[in-house]
Amino acid sequence: MKKILYVGSECMPFAATGGLGDVMGSLPQALKAKDPENLDVRVVIPLYEAVSDTWRAQMKQEAVFTVRLGWREQYCGVFSLEKDGVTYYFIDNEFYFKRNTLYGHYDDGERFAFFSLAVLEMFPHIGFYPDIINANDWQSALTVVYLNVHFRCVYGYDYIKTVFTIHNIEYQGKYNMYILGDVFGIDSCHIPLLEWGGCMNLMKGAIECADKVSTVSPRYAEEIQTPEYAHGLQDLLRGLSFKLCGILNGIDYKYYNPKEDTEIAKNYTWRGLKGKTADKTALQEELGLPVREDVPMFSIISRLVAHKGTDLLKEIGFRMMAENDCQLVVLGTGDSQYEEFFKALEREYPTKVRALIKYDRALSKRIYAASDFFIMPSKSEPCGLSQMICSRYGAVPIVRETGGLYDSIKSYSVEDGEICGNGFTFANYYSEDLYAKIKEALAVYADSEAMKKLQQKVMKTDFSWAASAEVYLGLYNSL
Ligand code: GLC
């Protein structure tokens, strides 16, 4: 039996704010399904306030012990539940995790240091020592570091291998130097392991200590070795490139399934797209937009922040609406300048635009199901999941060729009457290039046969975990 433990700060459906939660909630199950007899797959996250009572009622208490973090002595409870063949553990400490949001607290460094250490301390109490620990992003980076600096000589920990996965290199967990001993409880002799650019950098520490470092697309694995994308870690990653690899994420094909999704108005498959048209009219009714089957509908579902390419949309939004007969639905929250921009666009074009400034998962599915095109012009995108989700629902993606968008979406063309590609793509971060692709998309839309063929091709592209889970298994086996 091979024992694999995923460590991370969020996991669908228990508590999640973004793509990391999706991956933590779907990759472990997909991996388990590869070889149920020989794989023991488990996941551990903090027991946040946000974890609902429905889930809590299914949990069983596994252990209670004390974690010594520097000079602090903290209570730690471990709860567990089983779901789809995977065991999920929840680290309980109300002082750290009974808060109204997952992140954004003054003591996040301490909270996740506690979590990372508690994960390692938990093994003897639950009678489970993994063969592989796969830690994710800076919040669990210290698991990998603590293992190397404090646990290697302890029986049971000596042969554990580690993978550290970078979902977004922008967030590295950077702290003032003084925090090392006082909060993290790490001796100053280990400063060289964690120090980068004059501060403590948790992601840097994990990259140093892990046996393998992975990121969420092959293209991003190349990009983060360059100054444009690496947020300062390029030299480190170039030096350690022998242990770096990129594996494209998949999406949960059960949760995202237009054929059986109970959260959309009408189900459909690539064979019959009539249901999709019904979803469009249902959304138009819901949002008070003119109900028209013939009008092309674009959508954007994203955090409204700069690296998602929102600046490009700001440059062309008004022109796009003035010059074209189309509808645009935007869902997301973020920086006020972008929220205000989309609200202003709706005020100017009330019969064409809806700016829904909120986070709403069920509504996002109704939008994917209703729209013909999905715009995602990211400046950087480690993997991106929305381009895969929209494809599954037959909304053709229009993306910038970066990171996982580059790896997953190839540009549309017709060769010898055959459709090539599965979306519209542009290379330079330049609003005119995005607009040219929107125009090209509209031209295809005007030819209903071509549009139908493209939509069917897009829907049939395989973005399930099947292939990538196999690659992860290969990575674990290689260790
Ligand atoms: C982060 C990245 C996103 C990726 C996700 C899951 O949210 O920004 O591109 O898809 O993690 O790995």
Side-chain angles (χ1 to χ4, degrees):
M1 191 65 111
K2 196 164 281 133
K3 295 174 283 176
I4 295 147
L5 179 68
Y6 289 91
V7 188
S9 58
E10 48 183 84
C11 178
M12 274 287 288
F14 310 109
T17 66
L20 169 63
D22 280 276
V23 172
M24 289 278 292
S26 51
L27 167 60
Q29 288 167 31
L31 190 79
K32 172 74 183 178
K34 285 275 158 208
D35 191 358
E37 301 296 305
N38 297 309
L39 293 173
D40 179 351
V41 184
R42 309 192 188 196
V43 175
V44 57
I45 64 166
L47 183 59
Y48 297 107
E49 174 77 351
V51 178
S52 75
D53 288 342
T54 322
W55 292 120
R56 284 172 196 256
Q58 297 173 37
M59 290 178 191
K60 104 171 176 252
Q61 187 167 41
E62 293 278 349
V64 173
F65 51 91
T66 301
V67 172
R68 296 198 53 178
L69 184 64
W71 52 267
R72 298 164 181 80
E73 300 219 337
Q74 295 289 4
Y75 155 89
C76 177
V78 179
F79 291 83
S80 76
L81 64 78
E82 303 267 328
K83 192 170 123 2
D84 302 318
V86 175
T87 305
Y88 295 85
Y89 294 105
F90 301 83
I91 300 291
D92 177 38
N93 175 304
E94 293 198 341
F95 169 66
Y96 288 130
F97 303 125
K98 195 175 162 65
R99 313 241 177 133
N100 57 351
T101 55
L102 269 55
Y103 315 118
H105 303 280
Y106 74 97
D107 57 350
D108 278 359
E110 183 181 327
R111 295 168 71 222
F112 291 107
F114 165 79
F115 169 68
S116 301
L117 185 56
V119 167
L120 296 169
E121 298 274 9
M122 154 180 100
F123 301 157
H125 297 278
I126 61 170
F128 171 81
Y129 291 86
D131 298 310
I132 307 271
I133 292 178
N134 191 335
N136 294 272
D137 275 352
W138 77 264
Q139 295 91 344
S140 56
L142 279 174
T143 304
V144 183
V145 177
Y146 285 135
L147 177 67
N148 275 20
V149 302
H150 290 160
F151 287 81
R152 278 301 183 195
C153 303
V154 183
Y155 179 74
Y157 293 83
D158 30 5
Y159 291 111
I160 298 176
K161 300 288 180 190
T162 52
V163 176
F164 179 66
T165 303
I166 300 170
H167 293 260
N168 194 337
I169 206 162
E170 199 174 337
Y171 309 105
Q172 299 172 2
K174 290 188 195 171
Y175 291 96
N176 195 299
M177 297 293 275
Y178 81 85
I179 202 171
L180 188 70
D182 179 55
V183 177
F184 297 158
I186 296 177
D187 194 275
S188 58
C189 72
H190 297 297
I191 285 180
L193 214 50
L194 285 132
E195 199 236 308
W196 195 253
C199 54
M200 287 294 102
N201 186 317
L202 303 190
M203 186 174 267
K204 189 263 179 180
I207 292 169
E208 290 273 15
C209 293
D211 295 304
K212 293 273 182 190
V213 177
S214 76
T215 187
V216 288
S217 69
R219 179 69 161 205
Y220 195 59
E222 288 170 23
E223 288 173 346
I224 57 176
Q225 297 179 55
T226 67
E228 290 78 15
Y229 289 92
H231 292 267
L233 293 182
Q234 62 275 8
D235 293 345
L236 176 77
L237 285 165
R238 222 176 304 127
L240 296 174
S241 62
F242 65 90
K243 61 173 173 179
L244 176 65
C245 67
I247 306 174
L248 194 69
N249 287 331
I251 54 168
D252 185 339
Y253 260 35
K254 269 205 303 223
Y255 181 72
Y256 296 112
N257 183 2
K259 191 175 167 198
E260 278 160 15
D261 196 331
T262 53
E263 294 177 297
I264 60 175
K266 188 100 186 134
N267 292 116
Y268 56 96
T269 66
W270 62 268
R271 285 198 179 80
L273 290 169
K274 283 226 171 59
K276 186 165 171 64
T277 313
D279 282 305
K280 189 199 277 186
T281 50
L283 187 74
Q284 288 166 333
E285 273 165 23
E286 177 182 341
L287 301 179
L289 284 166
V291 178
R292 284 175 54 197
E293 281 183 10
D294 64 314
V295 69
M297 183 187 280
F298 292 82
S299 62
I300 296 162
I301 301 174
S302 174
R303 271 185 302 124
L304 302 177
V305 293
H307 82 258
K308 292 289 179 184
T310 327
D311 287 320
L312 298 189
L313 295 160
K314 243 178 114 175
E315 284 172 28
I316 59 160
F318 278 89
R319 214 171 113 208
M320 173 179 169
M321 289 304 126
E323 292 178 1
N324 303 288
D325 180 22
C326 64
Q327 294 180 344
L328 172 69
V329 178
V330 182
L331 175 68
T333 59
D335 294 350
S336 59
Q337 56 155 325
Y338 302 123
E339 294 184 354
E340 290 311 319
F341 164 74
F342 286 114
K343 283 196 239 166
L345 196 62
E346 173 178 329
R347 275 197 302 278
E348 184 74 17
Y349 296 99
T351 58
K352 289 180 152 187
V353 179
R354 282 297 170 272
L356 309 161
I357 307 301
K358 56 184 170 182
Y359 176 82
D360 182 336
R361 252 186 126 83
L363 176 57
S364 78
K365 285 171 140 198
R366 298 200 292 280
I367 298 174
Y368 285 122
S371 34
D372 301 294
F373 300 105
F374 185 82
I375 310 178
M376 197 167 174
S378 306
K379 191 182 260 175
S380 70
E381 196 59 74
C383 177
L385 300 173
S386 309
Q387 82 278 17
M388 303 184 187
I389 302 169
C390 74
S391 299
R392 179 88 164 134
Y393 285 83
V396 180
I398 302 173
V399 307
R400 183 170 163 258
E401 293 158 18
T402 181
L405 295 173
Y406 172 87
D407 288 318
S408 57
I409 308 298
K410 300 292 167 215
S411 214
Y412 169 84
S413 65
V414 180
E415 273 157 41
D416 300 330
E418 282 295 305
I419 290 188
C420 304
N422 58 338
F424 297 92
T425 74
F426 63 102
N428 293 325
Y429 192 72
Y430 181 45
S431 59
E432 287 306 318
D433 289 1
L434 167 61
Y435 194 48
K437 287 295 153 182
I438 289 173
K439 284 289 204 189
E440 202 181 317
L442 284 167
V444 174
Y445 187 86
D447 176 349
S448 58
E449 260 317 293
M451 180 66 189
K452 189 171 163 203
K453 276 196 194 142
L454 176 57
Q455 271 176 310
Q456 290 179 325
K457 174 125 194 276
V458 163
M459 286 183 79
K460 285 194 277 182
T461 314
D462 184 9
F463 290 126
S464 73
W465 270 109
S468 296
E470 195 69 47
V471 183
Y472 271 100
L473 195 55
L475 176 68
Y476 301 146
N477 283 335
S478 77
L479 290 171

